[in-house]
Amino acid sequence: MSLLIGYVGLGNMGGPIFTNLVNYAASNNLPAPCAWNIVKARYEELRPRCPGAVFCDELEEVVMRSNVVFTCLLNDPVAEEVYERLFAAVRENKGKDKVVFVDQSSLKPRTSRKLEAAAHQVRASYLAAPVFGRPDAAQAATLVQVLGGENAAKELIKPLIVSAIARRVVDAGEDVAKGSALKLLGNSLILGVVEMLAETYALTDAIGFDPEVYQNFIRDFFPLYPYIAYGDNISIGNFSRPEGFRLEAGLKDARNILSLGEDFGRPLNLPTIELAKQHLERAQELCGNDVDWSALSVAVRERAGMEPFRQLAQP
């Protein structure tokens, strides 16, 4: 069948992904994709980069216009609310092609299973499809795309994803919960790195070690993106970079990681993630939500008896 692409949720990640999908459709003689976002002002920001795209007034219009619908939503309650409306729209339009929903949100595994079951009730497909990468990687179409769910739906969209969204696809199997779980497992590693960077940078200040020298050491011996990007933030005390991972999203993921074992019937104590969650909660009180999650370092400094904000902090 011809791909009719829709997108729901045009935030820091969804916006550049949708832009790439519009370009893909134009290059492959496909109909122009459509999109919906709760904040309509976002449409005017994206319209110049998305020639021909249809920006919908109503969420349900996306289902009317599409047979492959991507979503990128803030959290589990929002996802459940949005999908309830999307599935209702599918039910009301029984004569159209089967719709494949590709959910790029980072959700609890049990939420993904719930949404898949609801999709099947309206004869639609649902894939847990979270991504790894920051907004700059989304813009460059170099994300790592996870896919969990039924194989037929995955095979349908893989060519689209590797052309327009990701440098690599990781197939997590037919259980949608495993797709969501892989995202949380990966983010737990990244959060552990951020926590350790925050602690060691507090230690460099405590002993009077030059943070620039330490960051150059990290660049040489740990040349991986999380170490470099988040180390850069912490070394200068600047957490306002727009390309970062928002603290609010990081705190949501930290809580979901802590309940991941329980979701699979095996509760597990995760002391590093629990400590990082506490630091994120305190950083939220000190900085608000509109900062990168590496701002947890201000809470680490405070707990160590230091001034939370380094003197080298930049506006």
Side-chain angles (χ1 to χ4, degrees):
M1 66 179 178
S2 177
L3 292 181
L4 305 173
I5 302 168
Y7 208 99
V8 174
L10 301 174
N12 288 342
M13 295 294 289
I17 292 172
F18 178 66
T19 300
N20 289 336
L21 289 170
V22 171
N23 293 334
Y24 173 87
S27 299
N28 289 273
N29 297 315
L30 295 174
C34 67
W36 179 88
N37 194 63
I38 190 169
V39 178
K40 301 302 186 290
R42 184 69 166 144
Y43 294 172
E44 299 312 311
E45 299 174 31
L46 291 172
R47 207 181 298 273
R49 304 197 296 272
C50 301
V54 177
F55 292 95
C56 301
D57 291 327
E58 301 295 333
L59 171 62
E60 291 76 7
E61 188 180 348
V62 177
V63 170
M64 292 289 294
R65 292 177 173 272
S66 311
N67 53 28
V68 175
V69 177
F70 290 83
T71 60
C72 191
L73 304 167
L74 179 63
N75 55 36
D76 294 62
V78 171
E80 291 193 48
E81 179 182 348
V82 167
Y83 268 102
E84 182 177 3
R85 292 174 60 186
L86 291 171
F87 294 152
V90 173
R91 187 180 295 109
E92 292 173 6
N93 294 276
K94 296 179 181 178
K96 73 187 309 297
D97 294 336
K98 182 176 181 178
V99 181
V100 176
F101 291 97
V102 186
D103 190 3
Q104 295 181 309
S105 317
S106 176
L107 304 178
K108 287 174 171 286
R110 63 188 180 192
T111 301
S112 295
R113 282 178 173 158
K114 179 178 179 180
L115 294 177
E116 182 190 45
H120 288 171
Q121 289 178 0
V122 296
R123 300 183 65 188
S125 296
Y126 172 90
L127 299 176
V131 296
F132 287 100
R134 289 159 42 126
D136 52 349
Q139 184 174 359
T142 57
L143 296 166
V144 173
Q145 174 73 71
V146 176
L147 289 177
E150 59 189 72
N151 286 330
K154 288 186 293 190
E155 292 306 313
L156 174 69
I157 65 164
K158 278 181 182 179
L160 168 62
I161 286 173
V162 297
S163 298
I165 295 174
R167 61 180 173 84
R168 183 184 175 199
V169 173
V170 180
D171 193 327
E174 290 202 89
D175 183 353
V176 292
K178 297 296 177 65
S180 298
L182 180 55
K183 172 64 173 177
L184 294 176
L185 290 169
N187 275 9
S188 69
L189 289 174
I190 298 171
L191 181 54
V193 167
V194 175
E195 172 67 26
M196 184 53 66
L197 285 168
E199 293 179 16
T200 56
Y201 268 106
L203 186 57
T204 64
D205 281 354
I207 66 174
F209 196 89
D210 186 340
E212 185 176 353
V213 173
Y214 182 50
Q215 184 62 8
N216 286 334
F217 162 78
I218 289 173
R219 287 175 174 274
D220 287 340
F221 283 83
F222 301 96
L224 300 174
Y225 191 84
Y227 286 92
I228 294 173
Y230 297 121
D232 282 348
N233 291 353
I234 296 169
S235 69
I236 62 175
N238 181 2
F239 311 109
S240 61
R241 299 181 180 187
E243 70 274 12
F245 188 52
R246 259 179 117 244
L247 188 149
E248 181 179 22
L251 184 53
K252 179 260 296 182
D253 277 1
R255 290 167 176 159
N256 286 353
I257 292 164
L258 290 170
S259 66
L260 180 57
E262 183 178 353
D263 280 359
F264 285 87
R266 295 292 300 271
L268 196 66
N269 182 36
L270 302 172
T272 300
I273 303 303
E274 176 60 43
L275 182 60
K277 179 186 76 75
Q278 294 172 18
H279 291 152
L280 285 167
E281 289 171 338
R282 178 56 179 156
Q284 186 179 50
E285 295 173 355
L286 293 170
C287 305
N289 280 317
D290 199 21
V291 292
D292 186 86
W293 68 340
S294 55
L296 68 80
S297 68
V298 303
V300 174
R301 290 174 57 84
E302 182 183 62
R303 180 171 282 191
M306 300 175 169
E307 288 294 322
F309 299 94
R310 299 187 74 249
Q311 291 185 353
L312 292 179
Q314 299 178 1

